[in-house]
Amino acid sequence: MPMSWFLLSLALGRSPVVVSLERLVEPHDTARCSLGLSCHLWDGDVLCLPGSIESAPGPVLVPTCLQTELVLRCPQETDCALCVRVVVHLAVHGGWEEPEEGENSDLELQEPRNASLLAQVVLSFQAYPSTRCALLEIQVPAVLVQPGQSVGSAVFDCFEAGLGSEVRIWSYTQPRYQKELNVTQQLPDCRGLEVRDSIQSCWALPWLNVSADGDSVHLVLDVSEEQNFGFLLYWDQVQGPLKPWRYKNLTGPQTITLNHTDLVPCLCIQVWPLEPDSVRTSFCPFREDPRAHRNLWHIARLQVLSPGTWQLNAPCSLPAQVALCWQAPDQVPCQPLVPPMLQENVTVNKPYEFPSVRGHPNLCVQVRMQVSSLEKVQFQECLWADSLGPFKDDMLLVEMRTGLNDTSVCAFESSGCTALPSNASTRAARLGEHLLQDFRTHQCVQLWKEDDLGALWACPMDKYIHKRWVLVWLICLLLVAALFFSLLLKKDRVKAAPRARTTLLLHSAEGEGHERLVGALASALSQLPLRVAVDLWSRRELSAHGALAWFHEQRRRTLQEDGVVVLLFSPAAVAQCQQWLQHETVGPGPHDALASWLSCVLPDFLQGRAAGHYVGVYFDGLLHPDAVPAPFRAAPLFSLPSQLPGFLDVLQGGCSRSTGQPADRVERVAQALRAALDSCNLQSGGPGSCGEAWDPGPYPALK
């Protein structure tokens, strides 16, 4: 059951501004004054020409305060218009100058001083797209004319205005003796009960109920099925016009669903009947919603537009403040440079820059926003990171003005600003004299200066780091030299074992006899300085990850380590390769492994990347070399065990002979392969288990 969140009665809810409005039956403008004053309203409007301020010749009547009140002008009971009543409070300004000696006597000045005051007060009204000016003549009796005293007020009924509009009202006298008064007021729309019942243009507005159900917000519009109306969701921005987000023309009752993450404080709703000159009613129900405020913090982004230029992007205005900060390379929090620099308020979606700041990779902009009394959100971007590179190990010196011609210098560190010179145990204090010397000899770079506040200087620290580590480097060099000399002395007695090269052996699955041949070859190779990988020894990994993933990973690792991939060809493997090359598929069954490694290695051969990384082999008597598919002949091809020495030379990168590979070890590998071939043929009783044989005669001697 959805929980009622906002219940908006009649259209978009009762407005707190309109409670109970006075009704005026008189269709024309009128004016009245407080007790003791007399008023006269000129017929029709006058020109709105304030003119320039003049000096008062004596006591004059001037407006001192403007007040407004909303009323309804109702020629008929149900045909009313919203109207603004204006109340002008008046006072006597100025006084008579005392006569000098030789001028008229007091009796001659008595008559004008006992006269009443007459003032022409203009009320100027502006509400887009119309402007009006009304003129009131107000007379004050002589008995009330006391300089500086309030004499009463005048009431003007009234200026008609549109619902929901913004009106501005000015008041001044003709001629004008002081700066005009003005007031701005936002008028209510059709959300007031009295307004809705009295103004015909409000009768057709839809009712709206806003409710929350879990992570969704429902806007339920209750209107008749025949009524067409417009519906607009928009962001009410402080700067500039409203920014539309979603617009629809709807008919009849509708429910619009929003995700709770779409809510922001400035998200507003506007509805209106699709009729000529219809009244639009707006409402912003999420201004005080905590979820909407949290969403706004998450949506806001600090963006660097160009080196030194940035802006804060957000759909609504934010109470944010910005300051420059210094980011040290050791990743401690960025330290705000306040003071000496000032913290300023920031306006969203507006580019900013620091024109008086010189670029440095450690200078960053930091924007802070107060989410609640305890929580703060902070954005940070380094303005020159892309153009000037990574952070530098520079020491920031802050020069503060302490007097007319005196300054103090401190070093900016994570613990605070360390005065120079200082007896503290910080890094800047230990190098205090050197830093001051660099500062005085202009070896530091000035980043910012303000005559009344101070300056910022960046001093390179590389030379001090080099001096500190020079002894350590000398000791390390001596140790390395001693070790190298020791190795030279033992050169004739110690032989370094050759680094084992990674070898990946790929074959087809053709039965137990063939697997024994593959196992014998892998075991024989592993006795040499080779790290052999074969699927027969990794069945658990194959079962866990799958054949295709295992072969891809082993090929990648072998080539990355500058190893070699050995392709073992047999009659069945050749047949399956031909089938793959013709149809790019191999049927399911015992050849799944072959299909997996074919998909791994074939692109290297087709794209010319096989040289130096692949070698092909086949067993004596089981295959003719011409039977190997043409794409794979780009790699060296050897028959085993007859061409075993050449094969081993390729496996070990051409260094088997140079490293003195013992001949008896090569012979043992050859004997192991011959024995495996003989055993395979004897146990199978024919060539079926070891592959169809091609008989070249007896085993040739090793080449």
Side-chain angles (χ1 to χ4, degrees):
M1 177 69 67
M3 177 188 66
S4 179
W5 188 12
F6 298 102
L7 186 58
L8 314 178
S9 62
L10 297 174
L12 296 178
R14 183 185 297 273
S15 170
V17 176
V18 182
V19 179
S20 180
L21 300 183
E22 179 183 346
R23 292 171 177 259
L24 304 179
V25 180
E26 177 62 44
H28 304 293
D29 297 341
T30 61
R32 63 182 185 274
C33 286
S34 59
L35 185 63
L37 306 183
S38 60
C39 296
H40 170 68
L41 176 64
W42 280 36
D43 295 335
D45 292 344
V46 298
L47 293 177
C48 302
L49 299 174
S52 57
I53 298 178
E54 300 180 8
S55 299
V60 292
L61 196 62
V62 294
T64 58
C65 180
L66 274 181
Q67 291 180 324
T68 60
E69 180 184 352
L70 296 180
V71 295
L72 292 176
R73 175 172 281 171
C74 303
Q76 298 180 6
E77 181 67 24
T78 58
D79 185 14
C80 299
L82 194 62
C83 212
V84 181
R85 170 183 288 166
V86 182
V87 181
V88 186
H89 295 269
L90 303 162
V92 177
H93 174 72
W96 297 108
E97 295 182 359
E98 293 296 330
E100 297 180 0
E101 294 183 5
E103 293 187 358
N104 295 335
S105 64
D106 293 341
L107 293 177
E108 295 174 345
L109 297 174
Q110 191 68 28
E111 183 176 352
R113 294 193 178 191
N114 292 333
S116 60
L117 291 181
L118 181 65
Q120 290 186 335
V121 179
V122 178
L123 296 178
S124 176
F125 175 84
Q126 181 179 355
Y128 181 82
S130 62
T131 300
R132 290 187 55 196
C133 281
L135 180 62
L136 283 72
E137 282 190 350
I138 304 172
Q139 188 169 11
V140 182
V143 68
L144 297 179
V145 178
Q146 298 292 332
Q149 295 296 318
S150 174
V151 296
S153 60
V155 179
F156 171 79
D157 285 329
C158 57
F159 292 116
E160 292 189 15
L163 292 164
S165 63
E166 182 182 82
V167 300
R168 298 192 67 184
I169 301 172
W170 290 267
S171 177
Y172 52 89
T173 59
Q174 286 185 341
R176 189 157 64 98
Y177 301 116
Q178 64 179 19
K179 185 178 179 180
E180 65 268 18
L181 303 179
N182 70 83
V183 63
T184 302
Q185 182 173 0
Q186 181 69 43
L187 301 186
D189 50 27
C190 289
R191 286 176 288 158
L193 177 61
E194 290 79 3
V195 173
R196 180 180 175 87
D197 290 343
S198 306
I199 300 178
Q200 295 181 5
S201 59
C202 294
W203 294 356
L205 284 180
W207 293 30
L208 177 65
N209 179 29
V210 183
S211 62
D213 183 12
D215 291 338
S216 299
V217 177
H218 304 293
L219 310 178
V220 182
L221 292 149
D222 185 11
V223 295
S224 62
E225 295 183 359
E226 299 81 11
Q227 183 176 347
N228 299 324
F229 61 93
F231 174 84
L232 175 67
L233 286 172
Y234 67 93
W235 291 300
D236 186 19
Q237 297 178 325
V238 176
Q239 301 84 19
L242 60 85
K243 185 178 181 182
W245 176 44
R246 187 181 299 177
Y247 169 79
K248 289 183 178 180
N249 288 335
L250 303 174
T251 302
Q254 293 283 343
T255 299
I256 292 92
T257 302
L258 303 176
N259 194 293
H260 74 94
T261 56
D262 297 329
L263 305 184
V264 291
C266 63
L267 181 62
C268 300
I269 307 160
Q270 190 176 85
V271 292
W272 67 95
L274 294 179
E275 300 173 356
D277 300 326
S278 60
V279 177
R280 295 193 177 202
T281 301
S282 300
F283 185 55
C284 305
F286 310 111
R287 293 196 184 278
E288 305 300 329
D289 185 354
R291 292 191 302 179
H293 283 273
R294 285 195 297 270
N295 290 339
L296 182 58
W297 311 131
H298 296 154
I299 294 172
R301 290 293 181 270
L302 182 60
Q303 178 186 8
V304 176
L305 303 178
S306 62
T309 306
W310 59 275
Q311 76 176 20
L312 180 64
N313 296 322
C316 310
S317 60
L318 287 170
Q321 291 184 318
V322 62
L324 274 182
C325 64
W326 180 261
Q327 179 64 67
D330 53 5
Q331 300 301 318
V332 297
C334 195
Q335 301 295 317
L337 300 177
V338 180
M341 303 188 73
L342 300 178
Q343 188 167 261
E344 301 177 0
N345 295 327
V346 62
T347 303
V348 298
N349 306 322
K350 177 183 177 182
Y352 285 88
E353 63 179 348
F354 298 96
S356 59
V357 176
R358 180 171 180 173
H360 191 281
N362 295 30
L363 282 178
C364 306
V365 63
Q366 195 175 75
V367 177
R368 295 189 177 191
M369 295 173 289
Q370 189 74 35
V371 180
S372 64
S373 58
L374 299 177
E375 182 183 5
K376 287 185 178 180
V377 177
Q378 178 174 299
F379 299 100
Q380 179 180 314
E381 289 290 344
C382 295
L383 301 178
W384 291 276
D386 294 336
S387 59
L388 299 181
F391 299 135
K392 292 184 178 180
D393 190 18
D394 290 356
M395 182 67 69
L396 184 69
L397 299 187
V398 180
E399 180 185 9
M400 299 286 289
R401 188 167 297 280
T402 57
L404 186 60
N405 296 315
D406 296 330
T407 60
S408 63
V409 179
C410 63
F412 208 73
E413 298 183 285
S414 58
S415 58
C417 207
T418 304
L420 299 181
S422 173
N423 295 325
S425 58
T426 63
R427 178 191 186 193
R430 290 191 296 269
L431 298 172
E433 293 295 338
H434 300 287
L435 291 173
L436 284 176
Q437 181 65 22
D438 291 347
F439 170 72
R440 296 188 183 106
T441 56
H442 304 288
Q443 298 184 43
C444 301
V445 179
Q446 187 180 78
L447 303 181
W448 170 83
K449 182 179 181 181
E450 189 71 32
D451 292 337
D452 297 334
L453 300 175
L456 298 176
W457 303 79
C459 299
M461 299 291 289
D462 297 342
K463 57 183 178 181
Y464 303 117
I465 296 175
H466 294 161
K467 290 179 180 179
R468 172 181 290 184
W469 289 98
V470 63
L471 184 60
V472 177
W473 283 114
L474 286 175
I475 294 174
C476 292
L477 288 175
L478 289 175
L479 291 176
V480 170
L483 179 61
F484 182 71
F485 184 70
S486 176
L487 292 175
L488 288 178
L489 292 178
K490 297 180 180 179
K491 178 180 179 181
D492 295 334
R493 292 180 293 170
V494 179
K495 293 184 178 180
R499 184 176 65 90
R501 193 180 189 191
T502 303
T503 302
L504 174 61
L505 180 58
L506 303 179
H507 65 96
S508 62
E510 303 180 25
E512 295 182 2
H514 187 73
E515 284 191 0
R516 284 194 293 271
L517 280 177
V518 175
L521 176 60
S523 299
L525 295 178
S526 64
Q527 302 301 317
L528 304 175
L530 297 172
R531 295 198 304 273
V532 180
V534 63
D535 57 349
L536 301 179
W537 297 350
S538 305
R539 297 186 186 276
R540 181 175 298 177
E541 295 181 20
L542 279 169
S543 177
H545 303 291
L548 184 62
W550 187 86
F551 284 119
H552 270 284
E553 174 61 22
Q554 294 300 320
R555 169 194 163 276
R556 184 195 64 78
R557 183 183 301 173
T558 300
L559 298 184
Q560 185 176 359
E561 296 176 359
D562 195 27
V564 63
V565 180
V566 179
L567 306 181
L568 177 58
F569 291 101
S570 64
V574 168
Q576 294 300 325
C577 287
Q578 296 289 0
Q579 180 182 353
W580 177 275
L581 293 173
Q582 294 175 5
H583 306 289
E584 295 187 356
T585 181
V586 174
H591 307 291
D592 289 346
L594 182 138
S596 299
W597 65 255
L598 269 179
S599 67
C600 298
V601 305
L602 186 57
D604 290 341
F605 284 89
L606 297 179
Q607 298 174 14
R609 300 194 304 262
H613 302 294
Y614 290 87
V615 62
V617 297
Y618 60 91
F619 288 116
D620 293 339
L622 296 184
L623 189 71
H624 192 280
D626 294 338
V628 176
F632 297 104
R633 297 178 195 171
L637 185 64
F638 298 95
S639 178
L640 302 181
S642 60
Q643 297 177 341
L644 182 63
F647 171 60
L648 296 180
D649 186 57
V650 172
L651 286 187
Q652 295 182 286
C655 61
S656 61
R657 292 186 177 89
S658 63
T659 56
Q661 180 68 47
D664 57 344
R665 180 175 296 182
V666 177
E667 183 60 30
R668 284 199 299 271
V669 174
Q671 290 177 359
L673 294 180
R674 292 192 192 99
L677 276 171
D678 293 339
S679 174
C680 178
N681 291 327
L682 288 174
Q683 292 183 10
S684 62
S689 183
C690 300
E692 286 189 26
W694 169 74
D695 187 8
Y699 294 119
L702 294 179
K703 300 179 182 178

